Amino acid sequence: MAHEFRVWAPERERVELVLGERRLPMRPAAGGWWERAVEEAGPGTDYAYALDGGPPWPDPRSPYQPHGPHGPSRLVGHAAFPWTDAAWRGTPLPGAVLYELHVGTFSPEGTFDGVIERLPHLAELGVDAIELMPVAEFSGRRGWGYDGVSLYAPHHAYGGPDGLKRLVDACHAHGLGVVMDVVYNHLGPSGNYLPRFGPYFTGRHSTNWGDGVNFDGPGSGEVRAFVIDNALMWLRDYHCDGLRLDAVHAIADDSAAHILERLAEEVAELAAHVRRPLFLIAESDLNDPRFVRSRESGGYGLDAAWADEWHHALHAVLTGERDGYYADFGPLGLLVKALRQAWVYDGTWSPHRGRTHGRSPAGLPGHRFVVCAQNHDQVGNRARGERSGALMSEGRLRVAAALLLTAPFTPMVFQGEEWGASTPFQYFTDHEDPELGRAVSEGRRREFAAFGWEPGQVPDPQDPATFERSRLDWSEPGKEPHARLLAWHRELIALRRRLPALTDGRLGRVRAGGDEAAGLVSVERGPVLVAANLG
Amino acid sequence: MAHEFRVWAPERERVELVLGERRLPMRPAAGGWWERAVEEAGPGTDYAYALDGGPPWPDPRSPYQPHGPHGPSRLVGHAAFPWTDAAWRGTPLPGAVLYELHVGTFSPEGTFDGVIERLPHLAELGVDAIELMPVAEFSGRRGWGYDGVSLYAPHHAYGGPDGLKRLVDACHAHGLGVVMDVVYNHLGPSGNYLPRFGPYFTGRHSTNWGDGVNFDGPGSGEVRAFVIDNALMWLRDYHCDGLRLDAVHAIADDSAAHILERLAEEVAELAAHVRRPLFLIAESDLNDPRFVRSRESGGYGLDAAWADEWHHALHAVLTGERDGYYADFGPLGLLVKALRQAWVYDGTWSPHRGRTHGRSPAGLPGHRFVVCAQNHDQVGNRARGERSGALMSEGRLRVAAALLLTAPFTPMVFQGEEWGASTPFQYFTDHEDPELGRAVSEGRRREFAAFGWEPGQVPDPQDPATFERSRLDWSEPGKEPHARLLAWHRELIALRRRLPALTDGRLGRVRAGGDEAAGLVSVERGPVLVAANLG
């Protein structure tokens, strides 16, 4: 056994490797790096770093935080895992149906192994890949994952690195790909030690979460490498098939070569090395084709972007809701536009934004737009996290599923949607710092008070019951009305697989129409006509 | 059993379906099509069409010509084949090593089944996909395949449709993809019945082979569909993974949507339907990036193009040859340029052409260029079809292999090259029409007389011995010096698989240099330096 510890801490005078009680001085190397080889260290060794004689802090690139984000880091031997997926050759994004799931609430176990138990359900459903909400180590045992702070470490409460590998391996055995949701636009509020090590953040850009990640200021070279190496790790060492990049509109980068473009380039070359398709999906509400245009035509070359407006246009029609950003939706004509080109705002006036928004996606194939009728955000960011099943009739749920699964885009289903789960998906956290926990709970109540909610009606994110309520109830899919809704989803996905016209992404060939008075919409694609009565 | 016969014959007054002695009138349908349903017809039924009371001719879309291109057509039930490759998820082109082979001479059997016997050799070699020289039915039993006339029918002498399916299925079982070479720029000189059925050719464009295929004149809609449906058939019904499009510079199309662009679009949508990567490779000597640029940036969106200049630059340096098109090559600096960007002529003056040639490939990834040190054309179009082994030392063969298999492009190996086969690959034909046979033989002699060859030194294409001489000798790979050259190729391919830098296609990162006086070239790619002594 032997390991060379390396850490980037360019502004420090002294860095020590902390192994148990021992503090071993590290040797400065080029570019602000510090190094120290240790003979007796290897997979399983716990360690930390001390900067300028301070307390031990976890490694920014820690592969495992067995005791949470504040504890020591643990070395992992990626090569040792007994992979059984040598025959897996990947799953291309075009034509795929994605399935978003949250490891903590998907199964009773709330772990990677718990997900494995349910893979036969997903294989029978017919989806092509699961998309895991972020699993990078975050504060506490319960959370959506967008508060991740140790970006290289699969969450210890989910099963850590080996648990994730078992899950990916099992997915591949079931013919399912794995998309990992990764957050490169901010870090969580608790356990973010990065700023102590180096200029990972910059005041030059501000985001909803504070200072932006430093992709273009002094020292940004190593920050960019930190992100790129992280992305490659999931794809290479964890055998993931794609990444979903959270909130790319909050990734500010004035470099001539945008970090997303560079990332796409690196991933393309890794794909050539591992000889299977690897893809990148952006979450963006900018309606800017640049993200998904090919690099040679001046784009960033990402493979797809979430197009939430498809959801909003449908949701507003099916529920009549007009609050918040739904104010921009409602008319059937906007749904028809979404059915045709995913983006509703393509340079047109957005009343909610008070400005024109977006740009035409013309010329791009539909596969580059991920659409959904529900997702973690659209469900979970409601005050009480109600799913569509609580808001509309079974008939309307069926209409939503039909429009989704016959769309010329890349459809995504949210866990439990396939059987109209009656469990909500609420916002939950588990911050150990009581101050932070209180702040989050109060913030949530305040946010929804603005919409007219009584404080008592808004579930407390910190309350374990909020998390428990959000867990799927696996007795439902066998019972009516859930069973017939599940059968409906299975049939639609099988139909999508059978009819080439349904996965045809040529948007120029989509003919969509609607009749506001009669409440009818229709989509014609080659020999297939999908007609829905929303009346 | 029941089958609906359909044939396009827009300028005919009367079309009959010929079943044995029976002639059944067909019913005219929209767009120049003729139809006839026959209850007792199905897979295995032989048939032909008679136009305006004339003799029976084979179906332009015949799936099988069991007695050659002039005989009756036979129905094939694609669905009936017992495929075993359900787990095959395709093979992406980036990062692949291709292996070109000719079914007739690759094995002693000269059939699809004969190739199957040798697949373990290819799997051990480590290549990713075989590229079959054209298999569409051509006149006679022996031929390179570029004289195909029944474009939907795998050659009967190779084993017909079922034989090809067995081969593709076996390839997939061995982890090998299959690329099919297809010829859409001309038809062979014997057995081309297409012009009798409709306006498949046009005098508006002329090619080396006479009138061009009608991709843009009156009636071209059905001709385009004929080609697109053919391409989709290989990929869908024969489970092929890619196509190599012969001589696309001879595909003239003034349509606003070039047939190659449309083809790429259709193939992309088929890929979304079958959920595996499908790719298109163009043979082109135009050095025009348009073929391989993405469609959204104004290109045709093909996945790669042959870049023969890489071969020429290397070959001229290694052999000192300067005849014919090699006149444009020789200086080490041109080889260095090829090692860096595949294309030597990128808008620069070509003495051989007497004009500037090509355009810069800057910005395109190296994967889009297929390079080789030998291929069927470069070997077989020499007067006596000598391989490089007859022209250079073993050391130079090793240099060629090393530069090829560490290139930032998509390397292709030609059958037997991996062991320095001593058998030539000569030009052979088997035209049944004695006039045509004589014309081909004489044409060949005349062609090389211009280069100073005595007629007796040029092998007669029609002589069966020419074909026999070109067959691989499978006792060679076990014997020296072949065995050690084979080991060299295996090691290089394994190295390419192991080192990510070798499959990295970012040409902007390639640093190539040369020293003419010392005869040294070097290519540096990240941590890898390849240096070759050509002195």
Side-chain angles (χ1 to χ4, degrees):
Chain A
M1 231 164 51
H3 184 77
E4 170 137 38
F5 292 87
R6 300 192 78 232
V7 65
W8 184 61
E11 291 150 8
R12 295 296 182 163
E13 306 275 296
R14 191 155 61 90
V15 178
E16 290 160 307
L17 171 66
V18 184
L19 290 173
E21 299 302 304
R22 289 189 299 163
R23 290 190 166 220
L24 310 175
M26 298 186 78
R27 183 169 41 84
W33 284 82
W34 300 77
E35 298 174 343
R36 172 89 193 213
V38 176
E39 277 302 314
E40 67 279 16
T45 300
D46 286 350
Y47 69 104
Y49 295 117
L51 307 178
D52 293 334
W57 286 325
D59 182 1
R61 290 181 180 233
S62 165
Y64 188 22
Q65 290 294 116
H67 309 289
H70 307 288
S73 303
R74 182 172 291 172
L75 292 181
V76 170
H78 284 305
F81 187 80
W83 289 101
T84 66
D85 68 347
W88 176 254
R89 295 179 159 265
T91 189
L93 186 63
V97 177
L98 305 178
Y99 185 96
E100 187 185 34
L101 73 82
H102 174 261
V103 173
T105 54
F106 182 67
S107 72
E109 299 82 3
T111 60
F112 295 128
D113 287 333
V115 178
I116 293 176
E117 296 297 307
R118 265 68 197 178
L119 292 181
H121 165 83
L122 297 180
E124 275 172 53
L125 177 59
V127 298
D128 296 283
I130 60 171
E131 182 171 312
L132 296 176
M133 286 172 64
V135 307
E137 189 72 27
F138 54 83
S139 162
R141 299 181 60 86
R142 307 180 303 273
W144 281 17
Y146 298 95
D147 286 341
V149 285
S150 200
L151 300 194
Y152 284 67
H155 200 266
H156 71 285
Y158 291 166
D162 273 10
L164 177 57
K165 287 174 188 165
R166 283 193 300 274
L167 172 56
V168 177
D169 200 47
C171 282
H172 291 171
H174 281 86
L176 295 164
V178 178
V179 183
M180 179 63 74
D181 194 342
V182 290
V183 186
Y184 297 141
N185 57 81
H186 74 281
L187 267 80
S190 171
N192 175 9
Y193 294 93
L194 294 187
R196 306 177 192 225
F197 283 84
Y200 284 89
F201 296 85
T202 172
R204 299 178 61 241
H205 302 293
S206 71
T207 73
N208 278 349
W209 300 274
D211 280 358
V213 175
N214 176 26
F215 289 117
D216 56 5
S220 59
E222 287 296 343
V223 179
R224 293 163 74 97
F226 177 82
V227 159
I228 286 172
D229 290 348
N230 182 265
L232 299 182
M233 177 194 73
W234 298 118
L235 300 168
R236 183 190 56 227
D237 301 331
Y238 285 93
H239 293 203
C240 289
D241 299 284
L243 302 176
R244 181 260 192 194
L245 308 168
D246 184 64
V248 298
H249 43 268
I251 293 181
D253 181 1
D254 296 334
S255 309
H258 194 281
I259 179 71
L260 294 176
E261 182 183 352
R262 277 282 182 262
L263 180 60
E265 198 178 86
E266 293 285 347
V267 167
E269 296 309 336
L270 177 62
H273 173 57
V274 299
R275 307 274 306 116
R276 54 191 169 92
L278 301 174
F279 51 83
L280 294 174
I281 301 171
E283 184 206 12
S284 166
D285 65 0
L286 297 176
N287 292 14
D288 184 345
R290 177 189 306 145
F291 292 98
V292 295
R293 268 211 318 261
S294 70
R295 290 192 298 285
E296 64 209 76
S297 63
Y300 297 159
L302 306 180
D303 298 274
W306 279 25
D308 280 352
E309 289 188 352
W310 191 95
H311 166 274
H312 303 342
L314 178 66
H315 187 87
V317 164
L318 292 180
T319 63
E321 293 183 6
R322 296 292 182 277
D323 291 337
Y325 47 72
Y326 294 130
D328 272 3
F329 302 89
L332 204 67
L334 297 189
L335 172 57
V336 169
K337 193 169 175 187
L339 295 173
R340 201 165 50 220
Q341 65 169 35
W343 290 346
V344 170
Y345 289 91
D346 55 356
T348 44
W349 178 258
S350 157
H352 175 66
R353 289 183 177 82
R355 60 169 173 87
T356 59
H357 184 63
R359 188 168 174 157
S360 168
L364 295 173
H367 310 295
R368 299 211 190 142
F369 303 93
V370 174
V371 298
C372 69
Q374 303 182 43
N375 68 25
H376 77 273
D377 262 334
Q378 303 312 329
V379 172
N381 282 334
R382 305 176 69 83
R384 290 198 293 189
E386 316 95 302
R387 292 161 172 276
S388 297
L391 304 170
M392 60 184 83
S393 67
E394 185 183 333
R396 290 190 167 219
L397 289 178
R398 285 175 173 256
V399 164
L403 292 175
L404 176 72
L405 293 167
T406 61
F409 312 109
T410 297
M412 188 175 75
V413 174
F414 178 57
Q415 64 177 26
E417 173 181 345
E418 69 274 26
W419 72 73
S422 63
T423 48
F425 187 74
Q426 300 180 333
Y427 185 71
F428 45 82
T429 54
D430 180 29
H431 292 299
E432 287 145 351
D433 176 353
E435 290 258 355
L436 176 59
R438 239 187 334 268
V440 166
S441 297
E442 279 166 16
R444 188 83 182 169
R445 279 196 293 272
R446 216 169 28 241
E447 184 183 342
F448 286 101
F451 285 92
W453 288 81
E454 297 291 320
Q457 293 179 306
V458 180
D460 177 2
Q462 285 283 99
D463 182 353
T466 304
F467 170 77
E468 289 303 333
R469 261 194 306 275
S470 301
R471 207 190 280 287
L472 286 180
D473 173 357
W474 284 89
S475 76
E476 285 189 347
K479 294 186 296 207
E480 298 299 356
H482 306 291
R484 59 178 186 259
L485 202 57
L486 176 57
W488 177 243
H489 281 84
R490 276 192 196 142
E491 280 163 28
L492 284 166
I493 293 174
L495 191 71
R496 187 174 183 83
R497 188 77 64 245
R498 202 159 63 241
L499 300 180
L502 291 185
T503 46
D504 192 318
R506 285 174 287 195
L507 300 185
R509 301 186 171 198
V510 177
R511 302 173 71 86
D515 179 334
E516 184 92 52
L520 294 173
V521 292
S522 66
V523 185
E524 204 180 329
R525 304 176 57 204
V528 177
L529 173 71
V530 179
N533 185 342
L534 312 169
Chain B
M1 230 163 53
H3 185 77
E4 170 136 41
F5 291 89
R6 299 192 78 231
V7 65
W8 183 61
E11 290 151 8
R12 294 297 183 164
E13 307 274 297
R14 192 153 62 90
V15 178
E16 290 160 309
L17 171 66
V18 183
L19 291 173
E21 299 302 304
R22 289 190 298 162
R23 290 193 165 217
L24 309 176
M26 298 186 79
R27 183 168 43 82
W33 285 82
W34 300 77
E35 299 174 342
R36 172 89 195 212
V38 177
E39 277 302 315
E40 69 278 16
T45 300
D46 286 349
Y47 69 103
Y49 295 118
L51 307 178
D52 293 334
W57 285 326
D59 180 2
R61 291 182 179 231
S62 166
Y64 189 20
Q65 291 293 117
H67 309 290
H70 308 287
S73 304
R74 181 172 293 173
L75 292 180
V76 169
H78 283 305
F81 186 80
W83 289 101
T84 65
D85 67 348
W88 176 254
R89 296 179 159 265
T91 190
L93 186 64
V97 177
L98 305 178
Y99 184 96
E100 188 185 34
L101 72 81
H102 174 261
V103 173
T105 55
F106 181 68
S107 73
E109 299 82 3
T111 59
F112 296 126
D113 287 333
V115 178
I116 293 176
E117 296 297 310
R118 265 70 198 179
L119 293 181
H121 165 84
L122 298 180
E124 275 173 53
L125 178 58
V127 297
D128 296 283
I130 60 171
E131 181 170 312
L132 297 175
M133 287 172 62
V135 308
E137 189 72 27
F138 54 82
S139 161
R141 299 181 59 87
R142 307 179 303 275
W144 282 16
Y146 299 95
D147 286 341
V149 286
S150 200
L151 300 195
Y152 285 66
H155 199 266
H156 71 285
Y158 289 166
D162 273 9
L164 177 57
K165 288 175 188 165
R166 282 193 299 275
L167 172 56
V168 176
D169 200 48
C171 281
H172 291 172
H174 281 86
L176 294 164
V178 178
V179 183
M180 179 63 76
D181 194 343
V182 290
V183 187
Y184 297 141
N185 59 79
H186 75 281
L187 267 78
S190 171
N192 175 9
Y193 294 93
L194 294 189
R196 305 176 192 226
F197 283 84
Y200 285 89
F201 295 86
T202 172
R204 298 177 62 240
H205 302 294
S206 69
T207 73
N208 278 349
W209 299 274
D211 280 358
V213 175
N214 175 26
F215 288 115
D216 56 4
S220 58
E222 286 297 344
V223 179
R224 293 164 75 96
F226 176 83
V227 159
I228 286 172
D229 291 349
N230 182 266
L232 298 182
M233 177 193 73
W234 299 117
L235 300 168
R236 183 189 55 225
D237 301 332
Y238 286 94
H239 293 201
C240 288
D241 299 284
L243 302 176
R244 181 260 191 194
L245 308 168
D246 184 64
V248 297
H249 42 267
I251 292 181
D253 181 2
D254 296 335
S255 310
H258 194 280
I259 179 70
L260 294 177
E261 183 183 350
R262 277 281 183 263
L263 181 60
E265 199 178 84
E266 293 284 349
V267 168
E269 296 309 336
L270 177 62
H273 174 57
V274 299
R275 305 275 306 117
R276 55 190 169 92
L278 301 175
F279 52 83
L280 295 174
I281 302 171
E283 185 205 13
S284 166
D285 66 0
L286 298 177
N287 291 16
D288 184 346
R290 176 188 306 146
F291 292 97
V292 295
R293 268 209 319 259
S294 70
R295 291 193 298 286
E296 65 209 76
S297 64
Y300 296 159
L302 305 179
D303 298 273
W306 279 26
D308 280 353
E309 288 187 354
W310 192 94
H311 165 272
H312 303 341
L314 177 67
H315 186 87
V317 165
L318 292 179
T319 63
E321 293 184 4
R322 297 292 182 276
D323 290 339
Y325 48 70
Y326 294 130
D328 272 2
F329 302 90
L332 205 65
L334 298 188
L335 172 57
V336 168
K337 193 169 174 186
L339 295 174
R340 202 165 48 220
Q341 64 170 35
W343 289 346
V344 171
Y345 289 91
D346 56 356
T348 43
W349 179 258
S350 157
H352 176 66
R353 290 182 175 82
R355 59 171 174 84
T356 59
H357 184 63
R359 186 168 176 159
S360 169
L364 295 173
H367 310 294
R368 301 214 187 140
F369 303 93
V370 174
V371 298
C372 70
Q374 303 182 44
N375 67 26
H376 77 273
D377 261 335
Q378 304 311 329
V379 172
N381 282 334
R382 303 178 70 85
R384 291 196 293 188
E386 315 96 303
R387 291 161 172 276
S388 299
L391 304 170
M392 61 183 83
S393 68
E394 186 183 332
R396 290 190 167 219
L397 290 178
R398 286 174 171 256
V399 164
L403 292 175
L404 176 71
L405 293 167
T406 62
F409 313 110
T410 297
M412 188 176 74
V413 174
F414 179 56
Q415 63 175 28
E417 173 181 345
E418 70 274 26
W419 71 72
S422 64
T423 48
F425 188 74
Q426 301 181 330
Y427 185 72
F428 45 82
T429 54
D430 180 28
H431 292 299
E432 286 144 352
D433 174 353
E435 288 257 356
L436 177 59
R438 240 191 329 272
V440 166
S441 297
E442 278 167 18
R444 189 81 181 170
R445 279 197 293 271
R446 217 170 25 243
E447 184 184 342
F448 286 101
F451 285 92
W453 289 81
E454 295 293 319
Q457 294 180 302
V458 179
D460 178 2
Q462 286 283 99
D463 182 352
T466 303
F467 170 77
E468 290 302 335
R469 260 194 306 274
S470 301
R471 207 189 278 288
L472 287 181
D473 173 357
W474 284 89
S475 76
E476 285 189 348
K479 293 185 298 205
E480 297 299 356
H482 307 290
R484 57 178 186 258
L485 203 57
L486 176 58
W488 178 242
H489 280 85
R490 276 191 196 144
E491 281 163 27
L492 284 166
I493 293 174
L495 192 69
R496 187 174 183 84
R497 187 78 62 246
R498 203 159 61 241
L499 300 180
L502 291 184
T503 45
D504 193 317
R506 285 174 287 194
L507 301 185
R509 301 186 171 201
V510 177
R511 303 175 68 86
D515 179 334
E516 184 92 50
L520 294 173
V521 292
S522 66
V523 185
E524 205 181 328
R525 304 174 59 203
V528 177
L529 174 71
V530 179
N533 184 343
L534 313 167

